[in-house]
Amino acid sequence: GPPGPVLAAGAMRAAGLLLARALLLGWALLHPAGCQQCHPAGPGTVLRFTDRHAEIRVPALHRVPSALDPLYGLVRRCLDLIQQNPLPTELLRAALNDPGSVRTSQVVQYELGYVVCAAVALLFTVAVPVAGMCFCYCRSRRRCGGRLRAHRRSLGCRRHCLLACLSLTSLVILVSVTCALVTSQRVKGQMEPGLGAVPTTLRTLRQHLANVPQGVQMVVDKFEVPRKQIISDLGGLSRSVGLSIHTQLKATTYAALADLQDRAADLQTSLHHLQILDGTARALAAARAELGPALQERQRRVVALLDDPRCTSCASALGRAQSLELGADYTKVPSVENVLKALAGLPRSDFAEMIRQGNGTFNSIPELAVERMAQVLQELREELSRTAQRVQSIADGFPLPDYTRPASEALAEAEERSRPYLREVQRFERYRWIAGTVLCSIILLILACNVTGMALGAYGLSKREDPSDYECRGEAGAKFLLVGVGLAFLFSWLLILLVFATFLVGGNIQTLVCRNWVNQEIYKFIDTPGNLPPSMNLTRQLNLRRDSNLSATYRECKSGAGLWEVLQLDRSYDLDEHLKTPKYTADFQKRLGDFTAHLGQVRLLRSEGRQDLETFARSGLDEVDYGRFQEEMKNPVVQTSLPGLARNLEGLQKMQRNSTVAARLGTEARALWQMQNSTVQSQEALVAKLGESVQFLSRLAPHLKERVKRTLATTASVEARLPVQAQQILRQEIGCFTRKELRYFTQYLNWVGQTLREDVASCQPLATALDNGRVILCDRIADPWNAFWFSLGCCTFFLIPNIIFAIRLTKHFRPIRNRLISTGSEETCPFHIPRVTALKL
């Protein structure tokens, strides 16, 4: 009969698996291994170095924004108006080289603005005390600060105007003295740390120079960081390479092995089905020859019985009995004996063992890579030790210790010489602060007298009903105002002297030093040959390059140059040349580049297995006419169904009246059932078995040669390409590893250059020290210093209108004498002896 649905489903699954394997194998062949890119560097590939060497640093100072910055700017603009002359190059050259040749007229001409200010200060110093003495004389003569002679309507307006003016001047003086106190305290707070920063900075610079060799050695010793990382990477390189080769080639290899396994299965299964086909066909032919006489004899007897006149209603079954003869004749099907002869003795090789060995050899590639790369990895570790020795040459060849000695000695001498001057400056600052605080306190006392006088006087006026009445509070207010006037006359000359002294020092520092320091005119003056005496030749003392000067050195240091780039060296030292990566990585890279490893020959199919498959393809399996088998299988074993005929006879038996005929019909029916169960059913089972084999072979035969040919070609291609692809992947993985390790070298060498330039052997601290000096002197000391004398000067000059308004206001706080009543008063009678009740100062 036809094959069952289970066989069809199994065939469909087999076809699907075959298609999937074919697609996988095709993809593997179209996308050969070795085309993958290197994995991107992750966060772990960034080396982490410890903190830099320079524990002794020169921290950069910056101008701190302040609420007094507008005041500082105003003072600087005033000084720019007072001193408009540029840096006196000729005068300074003469003063430094030949002090005796400096003429007073030159100094006066340059300091003309300060001379004018000195004249104003001298005039103030003389004029105010003289005016005070005149005022005292007038008061003793009762000419100033007395009482008003007559009451007028305009007195109220004048009084309010004088009160407003005196209040305004007092407010200006209060603001000024507050700024003076604040800036004086700021100068005091900045002076001590500022002066202390000079020797500290010089000492720090000397220590920075002295620590250069240890710093360079520390930087060189940090090569241990990339060396340990590279050694760690080398430890996993071989297995990583083996796993990469295995991973990238396993799709191709496993697909070829699966295809080979399918062909071996086809060979085994085909042999099995061919043997079944040949044996079953022979058995069916023999069974047919044996069944033929018995079936013919049974036909004769059944026909004779049914044709008996005594058989009732037997004519209906006579036709079926007459057609009782043999059906399918399997002697007519083609023989497969030649195919079996061609395949005799196959398979001569053990395909299962062959595939297991090939699979095992391929899977051992990671272990094999570890074994084959052990020697080169050991050589690379030894090469890293030699590279560490070459890196040590950076420290051994560093020339600075011998050439920084002049600079260290110059810094030590400057530190020693600066101490006496700094102590004197500190002592002068202490005196200035004491004098400033005392005089500011006196100004505050004058303001207190003004405020008290105005308050008492105004209160007295509000309580006085008659302008001519005596009122003690008003009189007391007038006396407080006169006390303030007396203090102003008494101490104004001290104020102006302190103002001028601090002005002369602070102004010249701002205009002569700070202004020219900011625009670098000082550096240009120092760089000009002949301006400084030979004993002050900074280029020689600091051992700078002959083609360099202070300005150029400052700019180079500011931009981050190294000390070796600005010093005068007997031989050149090019750090960039020492930090070129190929200088240290050439041998390491060459050893990796020259490395090749034969990772073994993966044999998927040996020669005897190949011969078996070739014999299988030439066996003629595809030449057998399986259609003849299928056509013959459509025919039944017996043309007439024996069970059907037997059931007809059994039915006729029941209808017979003749017992003899009925008995014979029963006998024949049992004989037919026995033939069906014993012979025909066994032949039908053989036919079903034959059908399975025919279906498998007919499905396999048309594609046999093509599949075997493809399998042999694929296997040969994979065997030939595996070593080549393994070498490609090996070169790719080693190339990726090399680039990764070179990044470690590059990171380290970049860090070395950056650390030497910016930290260990940087000359930037020299530029930072100069900038710090300008910040300390100009921004933190000179600015509040100049703001102090400016604020104190405002107080001093505003004391003049304060005196005038106070004297004018005192008359309004005293009782008014009427001319018509007091005709004989002291104002009209010069020789009048005043009464006891008369008010006098």
Side-chain angles (χ1 to χ4, degrees):
V6 176
L7 186 60
M12 292 178 65
R13 284 196 298 271
L17 289 174
L18 183 62
L19 178 61
R21 286 173 178 172
L23 291 175
L24 179 63
L25 182 61
W27 182 89
L29 293 175
L30 291 175
H31 297 79
C35 63
Q36 290 83 359
Q37 300 298 320
C38 295
H39 297 292
T45 60
V46 178
L47 298 179
R48 303 295 181 185
F49 298 97
T50 57
D51 192 17
R52 297 178 181 179
H53 156 264
E55 299 176 357
I56 304 170
R57 302 178 186 271
V58 180
L61 303 179
H62 303 283
R63 180 184 181 90
V64 179
S66 170
L68 296 174
D69 285 346
L71 178 60
Y72 297 159
L74 177 62
V75 175
R76 284 195 293 270
R77 286 191 290 272
C78 291
L79 288 174
D80 289 339
L81 291 176
I82 294 171
Q83 177 58 282
Q84 300 181 9
N85 297 322
L87 184 69
T89 305
E90 299 297 331
L91 184 60
L92 288 176
R93 181 189 297 117
L96 291 172
N97 290 276
D98 187 11
S101 64
V102 178
R103 296 190 301 274
T104 306
S105 59
Q106 293 177 314
V107 178
V108 171
Q109 182 179 358
Y110 177 73
E111 298 280 349
L112 184 60
Y114 293 99
V115 172
V116 172
C117 293
V120 173
L122 180 61
L123 179 62
F124 188 95
T125 305
V126 174
V128 174
V130 170
M133 288 187 291
C134 292
F135 175 74
C136 290
Y137 176 76
C138 290
R139 280 300 301 144
S140 68
R141 304 298 298 175
R142 296 181 178 87
R143 295 292 182 183
C144 299
R147 292 178 285 181
L148 296 174
R149 296 183 179 182
H151 179 71
R152 299 184 182 87
R153 292 182 178 178
S154 61
L155 287 179
C157 181
R158 290 173 61 188
R159 186 186 303 120
H160 290 114
C161 182
L162 289 172
L163 276 171
C165 291
L166 183 58
S167 300
L168 181 61
T169 55
S170 299
L171 180 61
V172 173
I173 293 173
L174 178 61
V175 173
S176 299
V177 76
T178 302
C179 292
L181 285 170
V182 171
T183 52
S184 177
Q185 191 63 33
R186 185 162 295 186
V187 172
K188 182 179 183 296
Q190 293 291 339
M191 186 66 74
E192 184 175 354
L195 296 179
V198 174
T200 301
T201 301
L202 295 174
R203 184 167 56 254
T204 301
L205 290 175
R206 284 194 298 109
Q207 292 173 347
H208 173 71
L209 295 177
N211 288 343
V212 167
Q214 296 91 328
V216 175
Q217 186 60 48
M218 182 280 300
V219 170
V220 169
D221 291 342
K222 288 302 174 183
F223 180 70
E224 190 67 14
V225 175
R227 191 180 76 86
K228 286 183 177 179
Q229 182 64 46
I230 293 172
I231 288 177
S232 175
D233 292 347
L234 285 173
L237 174 63
S238 55
R239 179 162 293 277
S240 174
V241 169
L243 289 175
S244 181
I245 293 174
H246 183 271
T247 301
Q248 296 185 45
L249 295 181
K250 67 181 181 180
T252 304
T253 306
Y254 288 166
L257 288 172
D259 198 39
L260 180 61
Q261 188 175 14
D262 289 343
R263 298 292 79 73
D266 287 345
L267 173 59
Q268 294 282 1
T269 309
S270 297
L271 276 172
H272 173 68
H273 283 292
L274 282 172
Q275 292 170 355
I276 290 176
L277 190 67
D278 183 64
T280 305
R282 291 177 183 273
L284 286 172
R288 186 177 189 281
E290 181 181 350
L291 179 61
L295 185 63
Q296 187 176 5
E297 176 62 24
R298 187 57 55 197
Q299 179 193 25
R300 183 185 64 78
R301 297 184 63 175
V302 170
V303 168
L305 178 60
L306 294 176
D307 198 31
D308 190 338
R310 292 175 295 175
C311 187
T312 306
S313 301
C314 294
S316 60
L318 183 61
R320 176 175 289 185
Q322 290 174 349
S323 63
L324 190 64
E325 58 185 19
L326 293 174
D329 186 2
Y330 287 95
T331 58
K332 299 178 181 179
V333 298
S335 174
V336 294
E337 185 177 353
N338 293 333
V339 178
L340 287 173
K341 288 181 180 180
L343 297 178
L346 295 185
R348 287 184 290 271
S349 57
D350 188 348
F351 280 96
E353 179 64 18
M354 192 186 311
I355 292 172
R356 187 188 65 78
Q357 290 181 358
N359 195 36
T361 303
F362 176 74
N363 290 334
S364 66
I365 285 179
E367 289 74 15
L368 188 63
V370 172
E371 177 186 344
R372 298 293 170 84
M373 296 184 70
Q375 179 64 30
V376 72
L377 294 182
Q378 181 60 32
E379 293 175 356
L380 289 172
R381 294 186 184 96
E382 296 172 357
E383 181 60 35
L384 280 176
S385 300
R386 289 189 289 271
T387 303
Q389 297 175 0
R390 288 194 290 271
V391 172
Q392 181 61 35
S393 66
I394 298 177
D396 297 340
F398 209 73
L400 283 183
D402 297 332
Y403 298 95
T404 55
R405 189 176 299 109
S408 298
E409 293 174 353
L411 292 172
E413 184 180 0
E415 180 184 352
E416 187 63 28
R417 288 187 176 184
S418 66
R419 294 185 184 277
Y421 297 103
L422 296 176
R423 285 194 293 269
E424 288 298 320
V425 171
Q426 195 167 3
R427 185 167 59 87
F428 175 76
E429 163 57 21
R430 185 166 56 253
Y431 295 154
R432 180 210 64 81
W433 181 80
I434 293 173
T437 304
V438 170
L439 292 177
C440 287
S441 301
I442 293 172
I443 294 174
L444 290 175
L445 182 59
I446 293 172
L447 291 175
C449 290
N450 286 350
V451 174
T452 306
M454 287 188 290
L456 290 175
Y459 184 67
L461 289 176
S462 66
K463 295 297 183 180
R464 186 167 48 183
E465 298 177 357
D466 187 351
S468 62
D469 290 343
Y470 175 78
E471 214 288 320
C472 63
R473 284 180 288 266
E475 186 67 23
K479 288 181 179 181
F480 269 108
L481 290 177
L482 289 179
V483 170
V485 169
L487 290 174
F489 279 129
L490 184 62
F491 292 100
S492 59
W493 66 280
L494 291 176
L495 285 169
I496 198 65
L497 287 180
L498 179 61
V499 168
F500 180 71
T502 53
F503 158 73
L504 189 62
V505 175
N508 276 293
I509 289 176
Q510 173 62 35
T511 57
L512 188 62
V513 179
C514 294
R515 186 171 64 189
N516 295 293
W517 199 338
V518 172
N519 56 26
Q520 298 191 359
E521 289 295 326
I522 289 181
Y523 296 147
K524 295 178 183 177
F525 174 80
I526 295 174
D527 294 337
T528 303
N531 283 349
L532 297 179
S535 61
M536 298 177 63
N537 190 339
L538 296 179
T539 302
R540 180 175 54 80
Q541 290 181 352
L542 298 177
N543 197 29
L544 301 179
R545 294 198 318 264
R546 294 190 180 93
D547 60 343
S548 181
N549 51 42
L550 187 61
S551 299
T553 302
Y554 170 78
R555 287 192 298 270
E556 291 179 15
C557 292
K558 187 79 171 175
S559 63
L563 284 169
W564 65 92
E565 296 173 317
V566 300
L567 294 180
Q568 178 63 45
L569 306 181
D570 292 340
R571 65 182 187 278
S572 62
Y573 182 82
D574 189 354
L575 179 64
D576 293 331
E577 184 65 28
H578 283 76
L579 297 181
K580 288 184 176 179
T581 305
K583 184 177 181 180
Y584 307 98
T585 62
D587 293 341
F588 183 88
Q589 191 172 0
K590 186 175 185 300
R591 285 185 182 277
L592 279 173
D594 294 343
F595 173 73
T596 56
H598 181 65
L599 300 180
Q601 185 76 22
V602 179
R603 295 297 302 274
L604 305 181
L605 182 63
R606 291 194 292 270
S607 59
E608 57 270 23
R610 183 177 298 275
Q611 291 175 2
D612 284 353
L613 292 181
E614 290 175 350
T615 303
F616 180 41
R618 296 193 305 267
S619 63
L621 182 67
D622 55 333
E623 298 174 1
V624 177
D625 187 2
Y626 298 101
R628 293 283 304 277
F629 283 93
Q630 293 171 347
E631 290 178 1
E632 200 63 38
M633 286 166 57
K634 294 177 183 178
N635 298 322
V637 176
V638 179
Q639 291 290 348
T640 299
S641 174
L642 293 181
L645 181 58
R647 283 191 289 270
N648 288 342
L649 294 181
E650 290 173 349
L652 291 174
Q653 179 184 6
K654 297 176 182 179
M655 299 171 56
Q656 300 302 317
R657 292 187 295 270
N658 189 317
S659 58
T660 303
V661 173
R664 291 179 60 189
L665 287 172
T667 302
E668 292 301 327
R670 287 192 295 273
L672 290 175
W673 279 114
Q674 182 179 4
M675 183 178 291
Q676 171 66 28
N677 294 332
S678 62
T679 305
V680 175
Q681 281 187 356
S682 62
Q683 291 189 34
E684 288 177 347
L686 290 176
V687 170
K689 186 176 179 181
L690 179 66
E692 293 178 1
S693 298
V694 169
Q695 184 175 2
F696 173 82
L697 293 173
S698 63
R699 187 178 65 249
L700 174 66
H703 310 288
L704 175 62
K705 289 185 178 179
E706 178 185 351
R707 290 180 182 178
V708 172
K709 181 179 179 182
R710 185 181 69 245
T711 299
L712 294 176
T714 300
T715 306
S717 174
V718 170
E719 288 180 344
R721 289 170 60 88
L722 270 179
V724 178
Q725 291 177 345
Q727 284 299 320
Q728 290 176 353
I729 298 172
L730 175 69
R731 299 309 321 152
Q732 173 195 329
E733 292 295 323
I734 289 181
C736 292
F737 176 82
T738 304
R739 288 190 290 274
K740 178 183 177 183
E741 306 313 309
L742 290 184
R743 284 197 294 270
Y744 293 147
F745 281 103
T746 304
Q747 287 182 49
Y748 168 72
L749 294 174
N750 290 340
W751 177 80
V752 169
Q754 182 181 6
T755 304
L756 291 181
R757 284 192 172 93
E758 297 181 3
D759 188 14
V760 173
S762 172
C763 76
Q764 194 166 21
L766 300 177
T768 304
L770 290 175
D771 292 339
N772 289 350
R774 180 186 57 79
V775 171
I776 292 173
L777 177 62
C778 300
D779 295 338
R780 299 192 176 183
I781 295 179
D783 277 350
W785 176 288
N786 290 326
F788 166 73
W789 63 253
F790 184 83
S791 301
L792 196 61
C794 288
C795 296
T796 304
F797 282 104
F798 271 93
L799 284 177
I800 297 175
N802 180 82
I803 292 171
I804 296 172
F805 295 139
I807 293 174
R808 297 291 300 273
L809 191 58
T810 54
K811 295 182 180 182
H812 292 271
F813 293 159
R814 288 176 171 153
I816 300 174
R817 292 188 178 274
N818 197 320
R819 284 179 183 267
L820 298 178
I821 299 173
S822 304
T823 55
S825 67
E826 61 180 3
E827 281 84 356
T828 58
C829 300
F831 303 101
H832 172 70
I833 298 174
R835 295 176 298 173
V836 178
T837 57
L839 296 176
K840 304 188 296 296
L841 287 178

